[in-house]
Amino acid sequence: MSSADAVTREAAWLSDYNPADSLPALHTALGGPFDVVQAYLPRTPAQRRTQLYVLRRQLREERTAHVRRMARHLFELRIIWPASSPTGSSEDPQQALDTAVGLVLERIGGLMLDKTHGGRFLSVAENPPEVTVDYTDPEPGLRDRADLRCTITYWADDTEING
C-alpha cells in the first residue's frame, strides 16, 4: 500500500457493502442514499444528484521509531444534496441529508472491534478518536433551489513502513 492510493482505498470502503456485516450501504445501487460515491471531486459534479466525494485535506508522515514511519491522512467527505423535494417541503431534504449523514457515520465507525476499514488502514477515526460534521447554512441552497452541503472530516492511520 502507498499513501498515494489512500483516497481510493477509503472510497472503496464507503462504496463497499456486505449485508452480513450490518453496516449500511451508501450507494443507491445497493439501497443507500447516494447516487455518487467516489474518490476525488470531478471537474463538473452531477446535477440534482446525491453525492459523496472522498478528498484528502492533509497528509502527515510521522516517525514512529528510528526506522519506522506512518502516514496519517485527514479525510474530508464532501456531501452535496439536492435541496428540492417532490412535496415542495424545505424540511424534507434537510432531514434526508441528516439521515444520510447518520449512515455515513455508521460506515466510518466500521465494524465492532475492527477500525481498519476492512484492512485498508491501521485505524480510522481512532487517533484522534473523533469525526466532525460541518453543515453549511441551508438558507441559500433552499432559496436558490440548489444544493445543501456538508463535510465530514476524520483521520486515518496507514500501516507503518520502514524508511
Side-chain angles (χ1 to χ4, degrees):
M1 284 185 267
S2 159
S3 65
D5 67 357
V7 172
T8 304
R9 284 184 276 143
E10 185 63 1
W13 169 255
L14 295 171
S15 298
D16 199 11
Y17 177 64
N18 177 357
D21 69 16
S22 76
L23 293 176
L26 296 182
H27 201 283
T28 53
L30 301 168
F34 294 98
D35 298 313
V36 176
V37 178
Q38 76 174 50
Y40 304 110
L41 193 63
R43 183 178 309 275
T44 308
Q47 297 295 312
R48 315 308 300 155
R49 298 279 183 249
T50 54
Q51 303 163 70
L52 184 150
Y53 298 103
V54 181
L55 308 169
R56 180 171 35 199
R57 285 283 150 243
Q58 197 174 101
L59 167 63
R60 292 184 186 173
E61 271 208 356
E62 297 181 1
R63 184 127 338 246
T64 57
H66 178 66
V67 295
R68 305 287 293 164
R69 60 192 167 120
M70 178 177 54
R72 297 191 69 219
H73 313 278
L74 177 59
F75 288 124
E76 175 185 301
L77 305 184
R78 186 168 300 172
I79 296 176
I80 303 171
W81 196 270
S84 61
S85 164
T87 65
S89 164
S90 65
E91 293 88 345
D92 288 350
Q94 292 174 79
Q95 178 61 62
L97 173 59
D98 277 343
T99 301
V101 165
L103 295 175
V104 172
L105 293 176
E106 279 185 60
R107 190 97 199 140
I108 291 169
L111 301 167
M112 179 69 80
L113 303 176
D114 180 6
K115 304 305 178 188
T116 67
H117 284 191
R120 291 170 175 89
F121 297 93
L122 181 63
S123 68
V124 179
E126 293 290 303
N127 181 24
E130 65 182 34
V131 177
T132 303
V133 182
D134 290 308
Y135 294 87
T136 60
D137 182 357
E139 188 176 359
L142 294 169
R143 181 185 61 236
D144 301 336
R145 297 179 191 210
D147 296 315
L148 303 172
R149 294 174 179 259
C150 74
T151 59
I152 301 173
T153 54
Y154 54 96
W155 288 92
D157 291 340
D158 231 330
T159 56
E160 288 186 317
I161 58 172
N162 290 324

